[in-house]
């Protein structure tokens, strides 16, 4: 008796190479298009010079202003973009495609900054410092998403957790002080993380619906209290704000010092949490088990890993991280709670998580991109450039779409992401 078997076709090296060449050519064409844009849009309107202030008069070490002649600089940027584009057509692999595209976008931003600042001046150090500050809630929201989705729980409720943390921080901070408000924000975020875990792990509720329910519940509750209670009892919405902590010597370094070493508790906390989460997920046995639950929960269960407990722990930790990020809005910024003050930062955190390829450090880098766009948007409004600043705010989302679409490599979520697990 003859037995025939059907073999699943395996992609050949030729097909893989063809795909890489196609990606390289697409990116090369995009870089050449950017070179044409810089040459014909930015260069003709750049006869003067752009001035960037690198320090303030009160700084211990005053650095001279950076003055860039707009015309030669813009032509040089166009030439570099064209060179990168042509190079991608000739010899571009996936690794070099990502690097070339990232470098090309950075060059485009530099050309745009010089063009927008020609004949004017603004503080580059101040903008970079604002970038780091504005990236904090996005980075913490993205980290909360990483901790959840690494164990295959889609955390749409990050926005609600941020808002709950902001509310708890303002209320408890007004009564107990800044430290008390911070602990309350972390605790309430952890509580909503535990609730989300109970809904999706124990009761196997649809993860998207569970997250939306938490978001709507927190939004409605905080809006009611803000409008009905805080308006009458204003002393319950007057929390202290954590001031900047300047690290001796390092904080005096020009440009770098104010940006990285003269920030408040939330900036330092975000960096520490990202480093700890990276070590936990990729360098510990517990983190390996968590990632195994996210990739193949049934196989992890057969090895003796309690899938339910791992998911409960990670989602609760994600809620605590989000609660800490929510406290930034009140205890780290304005000292009071306003209705819907998170402004969708939780959803932006999810975009940062995808852009960062489900990695804590990647989410932090993506958050800095979003923070830079937000900070630059505010600067452009002050500089009164002819291009609406809202267009710049679209750039990080377009970059996220490019990453998800696989143009510069595949951004792959954990294999079991969003799937409920039923123990047999």
């Amino acid at each position: 008796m003859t037995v025939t078997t059907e073999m699943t076709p395996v992609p050949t090296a030729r097909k893989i190479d063809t795909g890489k060449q196609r990606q390289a050519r697409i990116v090369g064409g995009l870089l050449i298009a950017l070179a044409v844009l810089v040459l014909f849009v930015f260069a003709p309107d750049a006869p003067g010079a752009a001035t960037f202030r690198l320090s303030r008069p009160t700084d211990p070490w005053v650095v001279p202003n950076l003055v860039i002649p707009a015309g030669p600089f813009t032509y040089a940027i166009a030439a570099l973009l064209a060179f990168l584009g042509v190079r991608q057509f000739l010899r571009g692999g996936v690794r070099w495609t990502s690097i070339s595209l990232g470098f090309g976008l950075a060059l485009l931003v530099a050309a745009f900054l010089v063009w927008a600042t020609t004949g004017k001046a603004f503080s580059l150090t101040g903008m970079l410092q604002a970038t780091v500050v504005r990236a904090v809630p996005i980075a913490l929201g993205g980290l909360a998403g990483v901790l959840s989705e690494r164990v295959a729980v889609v955390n749409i409720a990050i926005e609600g957790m941020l808002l709950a943390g902001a509310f708890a921080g303002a209320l408890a901070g007004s009564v107990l002080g800044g430290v008390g408000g911070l602990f309350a924000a972390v605790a309430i975020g952890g509580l909503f993380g535990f609730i989300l875990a109970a809904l999706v792990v124990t009761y196997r509720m649809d993860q998207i619906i569970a997250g939306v329910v938490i978001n709507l519940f927190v939004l409605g509750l905080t809006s009611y209290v803000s409008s009905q209670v805080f308006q009458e009892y204003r002393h319950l919405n007057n929390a202290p704000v954590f001031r900047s902590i300047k690290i001796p010597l390092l904080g005096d370094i020009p440009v770098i010092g104010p940006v990285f070493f003269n920030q408040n508790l939330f900036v330092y906390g975000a960096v520490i949490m990202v480093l700890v989460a990276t070590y936990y997920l990729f360098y510990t046995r517990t983190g390996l088990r968590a990632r195994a639950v996210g990739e193949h929960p049934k196989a992890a269960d057969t090895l003796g890993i309690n899938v339910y407990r791992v998911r409960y722990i990670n989602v609760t930790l994600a809620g605590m991280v989000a609660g800490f990020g929510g406290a930034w809005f009140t205890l780290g910024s304005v000292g009071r709670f306003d209705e819907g003050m998170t402004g969708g930062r939780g959803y932006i955190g999810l975009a940062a998580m995808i852009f960062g390829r489900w990695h804590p450090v990647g989410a932090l880098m993506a958050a800095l991109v979003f923070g830079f766009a937000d900070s630059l948007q505010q600067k452009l409004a002050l500089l009164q450039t002819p291009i609406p600043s809202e267009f710049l705010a679209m750039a990080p989302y377009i970059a996220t779409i490019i990453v998800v679409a696989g143009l510069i490599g595949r951004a792959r979520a954990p294999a079991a992401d969003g799937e409920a697990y039923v123990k047999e």
Side-chain angles (χ1 to χ4, degrees):
M1 181 176 62
T2 304
V3 179
T4 60
T5 59
E6 295 182 358
M7 301 294 293
T8 302
V10 179
T12 62
R14 184 182 183 86
K15 292 181 179 179
I16 295 175
D17 290 340
T18 302
K20 291 180 179 180
Q21 293 173 2
R22 180 178 61 85
Q23 287 184 3
R25 288 170 181 168
I26 292 175
V27 173
L30 177 61
L31 292 173
I32 293 175
L34 293 179
V36 174
L37 174 69
V38 170
L39 187 62
F40 291 99
V41 176
F42 296 158
D45 296 331
T51 303
F52 300 96
R53 293 192 295 268
L54 302 180
S55 60
R56 296 163 293 186
T58 56
D59 291 343
W61 299 328
V62 178
V63 179
N65 294 335
L66 178 63
V67 180
I68 300 177
F73 182 81
T74 305
Y75 287 116
I77 292 295
L80 281 173
L81 287 171
F83 168 77
L84 290 174
V86 173
R87 182 187 181 282
Q88 285 304 117
F89 278 100
L90 299 179
R91 40 176 300 191
V94 172
R95 182 167 64 92
W96 289 110
T97 298
S98 304
I99 295 174
S100 297
L101 182 60
F103 187 57
L105 293 176
L107 291 174
L108 177 65
V109 172
F112 178 78
L113 268 177
V114 171
W115 172 79
T117 318
T118 300
K120 306 171 186 176
F122 80 94
S123 174
L124 181 62
T125 302
M127 187 187 69
L128 295 178
Q129 190 174 21
T131 294
V132 174
V133 172
R134 293 175 182 272
V136 168
I138 301 173
L140 292 172
L143 179 59
V146 171
L147 291 173
S148 296
E149 298 207 14
R150 279 293 178 174
V151 294
V153 175
V154 177
N155 194 348
I156 299 296
I158 295 174
E159 176 71 12
M161 295 173 182
L162 287 175
L163 193 60
F167 175 81
L171 179 59
S174 301
V175 178
L176 303 175
V179 177
L182 187 61
F183 278 104
V186 173
I188 198 69
L191 174 62
F192 278 106
F194 182 83
I195 292 173
L196 176 64
L199 291 176
V200 304
V201 177
T202 301
Y203 298 102
R204 294 191 288 277
M205 184 177 180
D206 184 273
Q207 296 180 5
I208 304 298
I209 295 176
V212 172
V213 166
I214 290 177
N215 288 340
L216 294 177
F217 172 77
V218 174
L219 178 61
L221 179 62
T222 56
S223 298
Y224 172 79
V225 175
S226 177
S227 60
Q228 300 298 322
V229 178
F230 285 170
Q231 290 297 328
E232 183 175 356
Y233 304 98
R234 296 182 182 276
H235 65 280
L236 296 178
N237 192 20
N238 187 24
V241 177
F242 286 97
R243 300 301 178 185
S244 298
I245 302 174
K246 182 179 179 180
I247 298 178
L249 298 180
L250 295 178
D252 294 330
I253 300 175
V255 183
I256 299 176
V259 174
F260 297 107
F261 305 111
N262 190 11
Q263 298 284 4
N264 62 22
L265 175 68
F266 295 94
V267 175
Y268 300 131
V271 174
I272 292 173
M273 287 184 181
V274 167
L275 295 177
V276 171
T278 302
Y279 180 78
Y280 157 68
L281 286 173
F282 299 99
Y283 298 98
T284 66
R285 182 179 300 178
T286 307
L288 177 61
R289 292 176 178 176
R291 289 187 288 124
V293 167
E295 294 292 340
H296 204 308
K298 186 175 181 179
D301 194 5
T302 58
L303 294 174
I305 300 174
N306 190 326
V307 175
Y308 294 161
R309 183 174 63 186
V310 170
R311 288 186 173 181
Y312 262 97
I313 291 174
N314 275 264
V315 177
T316 302
L317 287 175
M320 296 173 69
V321 170
F324 181 83
W328 173 89
F329 292 94
T330 50
L331 300 177
S333 182
V334 295
R336 56 172 286 114
F337 179 83
D338 295 315
E339 182 178 347
M341 69 185 307
T342 52
R345 295 300 199 285
Y347 302 114
I348 301 176
L350 285 175
M353 175 197 67
I354 297 172
F355 190 47
R357 300 174 185 269
W358 287 268
H359 193 286
V361 176
L364 175 61
M365 296 297 105
L368 289 173
V369 173
F370 283 90
F372 178 79
D374 193 11
S375 176
L376 187 56
Q377 182 184 10
Q378 302 297 324
K379 287 291 183 181
L380 292 179
L382 297 176
L383 294 174
Q384 298 180 349
T385 56
I387 296 179
S389 59
E390 289 77 9
F391 280 98
L392 185 67
M394 298 164 51
Y397 302 99
I398 296 174
T400 303
I401 293 173
I402 292 174
V403 172
V404 176
L407 181 60
I408 55 174
R410 185 66 58 186
R412 189 184 68 85
D417 197 16
E419 299 178 4
Y421 176 69
V422 181
K423 184 177 178 63
E424 298 179 355

